[in-house]
Amino acid sequence: MVGKLNPVVEAVTARIEERSRASRAAYLEMIRSRRPAAFARARLTEGNLAHQSAGCAVLEKAQILGAGWPVIGIITSYNDMLSAHAPFEVYPQLIREAAREVHAIAQVAGGVPAMCDGVTQGQEGMELSLFSRDVIAMASAIGLSHDTFDAALHLGVCDKIVPGLVIAALRFGWLPSVFVPAGPMPSGLPNPEKIRVRQLFSEGKVGREALLKAEAESYHSQGTCTFYGTANSNQMLMEVMGLHMPGAAFPNPGTQLRNALTRAATHRAAAITAQGADYRPAGELIDARAVVNGIVGLMATGGSTNHALHIPAIAAAAGLSVTLEDFSDLSRVTPLLARIYPNGPADVNHFHAAGGMSFLMAQLLMAGLLHGDAQGVAGPIADYAQEPVLSEGALAWQPAPAESGDLDVLRPFDNPFSADGGLRLVTGLLGEGVLKVSAVKAGHRLVEAPAAVFESQQALKEAFEAGRLNRDFVAVVRFQGAAANGMPELHGLTPLLGVLQDRGHRVALVTDGRMSGASGKIPSAIHLSPEAAQGGPIAKVRDGDIIRLDAEAGTLDVKVDVAQFMARDAAPFRPNRPPAGLGRELFDLFRMNISSAASGASPFNFLGLRS
């Protein structure tokens, strides 16, 4: 059942459409002009076709040269270091076999890098993490630029990988694109116990052996990490926006159901090409309704703050302009229906078992919070409120469960965990940023305390270890934006600030950087824009300035006379590290051309807003 559309959802959608009228029209003109009249390879020369088919098996070669079957291009992010992407090793062969079943050809068009933020957390390589999103988009474009494919399958799961793949899919928006995940690893050490050990280690109460044991028991097999960070938020997003097959997000890797969903995605890609009766190009599917659906899903589940960067960047690739005000307004009317770690003790496997995506989408549709008439690869979003099952070995879908299997994890819209979603827009003299409140207890949502200013994550750690932070304070960690150093996640600060909060201190974080998508209980105003390296006022904050962060009101104030504050000299930008090393020097062009965090921290200028 689909309820009457919420008036705020309707209004936000309408203003995105109006704000984007010219850019969206230009985008649609571009993709519609590229719709092929026949198979894409029909425009190739004989020499081009010979090269395309040379590496194929006999059957596929005959069909390419005879132009009898559509060709599906696979963009894969496989590597076997990244646990979430290791299952993709066997997908190309499974997909080729599934394609043959429906008289289609599947070829790996190209591979893209897939960086593990878990490996690079706190390390130099993390400075390349956010930029990898845009490298992935460009690498995908190279694979698809052979211009010989009638549809695409995008194999990706983790943090920057899926947003990068979506950006590319939208710039090739005349192609139907189906996203194919691999699923989360089985549950390991409970997340609260992992965090308990991390905090004990940060206090020097347990050694590295205990810490390594806890970490290895948490991240223990192939599949996505089971906390609700950016990787699992990606899977929710792809389903709510209609780029998955229904229910594809969270079945575990290597299961019969997972393999059946991958085959079904292949069959569907072959069925929705321009040559068939149900053409579903990605650029037409991802419209303002789809983007709003994605934001609503993010709010209803307390998803990753990283998507306050990724969704505007994705929307821009489709000619749509999305602002943080849109996020904030949708958050105010979207109830929090899920508690998945770090917002609660359960992991994504518990969420899936409690009813998962089908129950969530059914509830949001009934509440009038999703555009049920928005279209996905499998049909209207209203039809996504169903779950996949195997019936006598065959894939089938059944209606979403009528009730949650665990009200501590997943709730109906009329009995939410909270009346509004998990993200706030914060504004004030220091600029504009976002704050995730879904895991912050009510008593910690207002902090007024002296600023303790740091220009690196390491400097704050050193102050903690020296015992200089046993007090109330607001940590101001600046020069951590994309133009400064690539905007690495400041995940290492979470256990330290958590220890201080647990000791009874009033603590908060203000930064132009970003936190892990799994960061939780510390009130953190992040993605502050403009960033310090681009002249943002955060560069004028001094130690001892009284900072007031009010998560409920969405305000970030400095108790300093405005004229005096603005007259201050800004602190000069001194890079935290030498400009070369680990390939960071290859990304100077990104740092010099990056947009603000509020517009997605992107080097691309799809909306023509930068000269």
Side-chain angles (χ1 to χ4, degrees):
M1 184 177 73
V2 179
K4 179 177 169 51
L5 192 64
N6 181 284
V8 174
V9 172
E10 187 174 26
V12 171
T13 307
R15 79 181 183 215
I16 292 173
E17 290 173 340
E18 180 58 32
R19 185 191 304 137
S20 311
R21 187 174 301 279
S23 55
R24 178 66 174 174
Y27 171 78
L28 291 174
E29 181 181 4
M30 183 272 287
I31 65 169
R32 289 168 180 169
S33 72
R34 298 200 66 92
R35 175 178 177 170
F39 289 129
R41 63 187 180 277
R43 66 172 64 92
L44 300 183
T45 70
E46 287 73 15
N48 298 151
L49 286 169
H51 280 282
Q52 182 190 357
S53 64
C56 293
V58 172
L59 175 60
E60 279 79 4
K61 180 179 289 190
Q63 292 300 327
I64 288 175
L65 296 177
W69 291 357
V71 179
I72 301 168
I74 303 168
I75 300 292
T76 177
S77 56
Y78 162 72
N79 69 54
D80 60 7
M81 180 198 67
L82 182 51
S83 66
H85 290 222
F88 288 140
E89 181 176 12
V90 299
Y91 274 41
Q93 185 56 33
L94 190 158
I95 289 168
R96 289 187 197 101
E97 293 170 357
R100 289 183 192 129
E101 294 168 358
V102 291
H103 295 162
I105 302 159
Q107 291 183 297
V108 174
V112 301
M115 184 175 191
C116 182
D117 284 2
V119 173
T120 57
Q121 281 290 359
Q123 307 300 321
E124 290 179 66
M126 175 53 77
E127 294 188 9
L128 302 185
S129 175
L130 181 58
F131 292 153
S132 76
R133 176 193 70 191
D134 307 305
V135 171
I136 288 161
M138 293 188 290
S140 300
I142 290 171
L144 295 174
S145 70
H146 293 95
D147 203 17
T148 186
F149 305 112
D150 304 296
L153 292 175
H154 301 264
L155 314 186
V157 173
C158 280
D159 297 22
K160 265 53 76 200
I161 294 91
V162 166
L165 293 173
V166 178
I167 290 169
L170 292 172
R171 297 317 295 176
F172 285 76
W174 60 92
L175 288 177
S177 285
V178 182
F179 278 65
V180 184
M185 66 179 67
S187 300
L189 184 74
N191 284 299
E193 176 63 14
K194 174 186 68 180
I195 297 306
R196 186 186 73 84
V197 175
R198 283 180 177 174
Q199 289 201 179
L200 289 173
F201 177 77
S202 69
E203 295 179 274
K205 294 179 179 178
V206 300
R208 289 189 176 278
E209 184 176 347
L211 179 64
L212 180 59
K213 182 175 184 291
E215 298 287 358
E217 289 176 357
S218 299
Y219 311 117
H220 60 92
S221 71
Q222 289 193 1
T224 319
C225 306
T226 59
F227 59 81
Y228 195 54
T230 311
N232 286 313
S233 297
N234 282 340
Q235 304 319 304
M236 175 282 302
L237 199 66
M238 292 301 93
E239 199 143 323
V240 171
M241 293 176 74
L243 292 176
H244 273 178
M245 295 299 289
F250 296 123
N252 299 121
T255 60
Q256 286 184 311
L257 180 58
R258 170 56 67 200
N259 291 341
L261 284 164
T262 301
R263 288 194 296 272
T266 308
H267 294 171
R268 189 61 183 156
I272 58 176
T273 68
Q275 290 71 48
D278 192 18
Y279 179 44
R280 290 179 177 266
E284 301 275 2
L285 301 185
I286 304 304
D287 58 12
R289 295 171 301 171
V291 171
V292 166
N293 283 351
I295 298 173
V296 167
L298 188 73
M299 300 307 167
T301 56
S304 170
T305 54
N306 281 325
H307 283 296
L309 298 170
H310 298 322
I311 290 176
I314 287 168
L320 298 165
S321 175
V322 172
T323 69
L324 294 181
E325 183 183 8
D326 300 329
F327 279 78
S328 186
D329 288 354
L330 291 169
S331 181
R332 296 283 182 185
V333 299
T334 303
L336 183 67
L337 302 186
R339 279 209 181 278
I340 319 169
Y341 189 84
N343 305 326
D347 67 20
V348 293
N349 292 312
H350 301 134
F351 166 77
H352 184 61
M357 289 302 303
S358 64
F359 180 85
L360 175 76
M361 293 185 71
Q363 293 299 311
L364 292 174
L365 285 161
M366 283 192 284
L369 292 166
L370 291 182
H371 289 277
D373 60 342
Q375 295 294 315
V377 295
I381 293 302
D383 291 350
Y384 271 65
Q386 52 183 330
E387 60 183 6
V389 294
L390 290 177
S391 177
E392 298 182 356
L395 181 64
W397 278 268
Q398 63 186 22
E403 297 181 356
S404 167
D406 188 341
L407 290 173
D408 290 333
V409 180
L410 186 59
R411 290 190 176 181
F413 75 90
D414 55 0
N415 180 29
F417 292 104
S418 67
D420 57 3
L423 209 65
R424 296 280 190 276
L425 170 67
V426 291
T427 59
L429 188 57
L430 295 184
E432 178 181 66
V434 296
L435 190 151
K436 182 178 179 178
V437 296
S438 52
V440 178
K441 292 182 178 179
H444 295 298
R445 294 184 181 185
L446 171 62
V447 177
E448 183 173 319
V453 181
F454 303 95
E455 298 189 355
S456 72
Q457 185 172 199
Q458 184 59 34
L460 191 152
K461 289 181 179 179
E462 290 170 0
F464 173 86
E465 292 166 358
R468 299 199 302 271
L469 297 179
N470 290 310
R471 56 187 172 89
D472 294 356
F473 69 98
V474 174
V476 177
V477 185
R478 63 193 181 196
F479 297 114
Q480 301 303 306
N485 63 0
M487 212 176 187
E489 289 183 347
L490 305 177
H491 185 56
L493 303 183
T494 303
L496 308 183
L497 296 175
V499 166
L500 296 169
Q501 187 186 77
D502 290 347
R503 290 176 182 170
H505 299 303
R506 307 285 295 174
V507 295
L509 174 67
V510 174
T511 180
D512 51 6
R514 62 192 179 97
M515 299 294 285
S516 165
S519 298
K521 66 181 185 179
I522 305 301
S524 302
I526 62 176
H527 306 175
L528 212 60
S529 178
E531 64 173 279
Q534 293 182 327
I538 189 175
K540 298 186 177 188
V541 177
R542 296 175 181 172
D543 282 316
D545 287 345
I546 301 301
I547 307 285
R548 180 182 173 90
L549 175 61
D550 187 337
E552 293 295 348
T555 57
L556 176 61
D557 295 319
V558 187
K559 295 286 186 87
V560 178
D561 177 79
V562 174
Q564 290 180 3
F565 182 82
M566 298 309 294
R568 286 179 180 177
D569 291 333
F573 171 44
R574 302 182 185 90
N576 299 155
R577 308 180 195 274
L582 277 185
R584 292 196 307 279
E585 64 275 16
L586 299 174
F587 291 83
D588 287 346
L589 283 173
F590 282 65
R591 284 185 286 272
M592 289 188 293
N593 292 283
I594 205 77
S595 71
S596 69
S599 57
S602 173
F604 306 131
N605 191 25
F606 298 132
L607 299 178
L609 300 179
R610 287 174 281 160
S611 58

